[in-house]
Amino acid sequence: MAPRVAETGFASTIQNVSLRPSRITSMPSQKSHRTTCSEHLAALKELQRIPGVGPRVAQDFFVQGFRRVNELRGRDPQALYERQCELEGRHVDRCWLYVARCAVYFAQTARPDPDKLKWWNWKDK
């Protein structure tokens, strides 16, 4: 499959994007309108409030359909990781999974334990 510009509209965000429907159907519902640049930047800024989430992982969450931290509540980090591997068409480093675990914990915990806000503390045991 040829590289395509992701739905963000930024030419610098080139990924292998499958046009096949995903088997994972639990992603957030999408608005029918195209995301503007300012909406995109606001979503990335919001997602980067999560400890350990930088521009790259925020963009990954965005492509998966997330716009706000609270949309990650109750999500399965393993399913998010598998979806990311599917979107990229390759194996993604497991550190991405550890960040997803931390992100879901952060999204659903009112007073998070500071040690659990370090993504490396979410490694497989």
Side-chain angles (χ1 to χ4, degrees):
M1 177 188 303
R4 292 180 40 127
V5 175
E7 293 300 315
T8 62
F10 287 91
S12 63
T13 310
I14 297 180
Q15 302 177 11
N16 288 326
V17 178
S18 173
L19 298 178
R20 292 177 290 149
S22 170
R23 292 182 310 223
I24 301 170
T25 58
S26 63
M27 296 297 120
S29 62
Q30 296 295 302
K31 295 180 180 177
S32 61
H33 77 282
R34 190 165 179 86
T35 304
T36 66
C37 182
S38 61
E39 290 170 331
H40 179 248
L41 292 174
L44 293 181
K45 184 176 180 180
E46 163 71 7
L47 293 167
Q48 288 182 68
R49 287 191 316 108
I50 302 168
V53 172
R56 173 60 198 196
V57 175
Q59 177 64 24
D60 292 343
F61 283 147
F62 184 90
V63 170
Q64 286 200 33
F66 298 97
R67 303 297 182 262
R68 302 194 51 77
V69 172
N70 66 1
E71 293 173 342
L72 289 163
R73 286 184 189 145
R75 299 294 176 173
D76 177 4
Q78 184 68 39
L80 297 175
Y81 173 73
E82 290 170 7
R83 176 73 174 135
Q84 191 61 33
C85 292
E86 185 179 294
L87 286 169
E88 292 192 27
R90 64 180 180 85
H91 170 79
V92 175
D93 189 288
R94 284 190 67 82
C95 291
W96 199 100
L97 171 61
Y98 310 148
V99 172
R101 289 173 179 167
C102 181
V104 169
Y105 170 78
F106 177 77
Q108 61 194 20
T109 307
R111 290 186 231 195
D113 177 342
D115 284 337
K116 290 186 176 180
L117 295 179
K118 298 173 183 159
W119 66 264
W120 53 88
N121 288 335
W122 290 92
K123 291 181 182 180
D124 299 321
K125 303 226 184 257

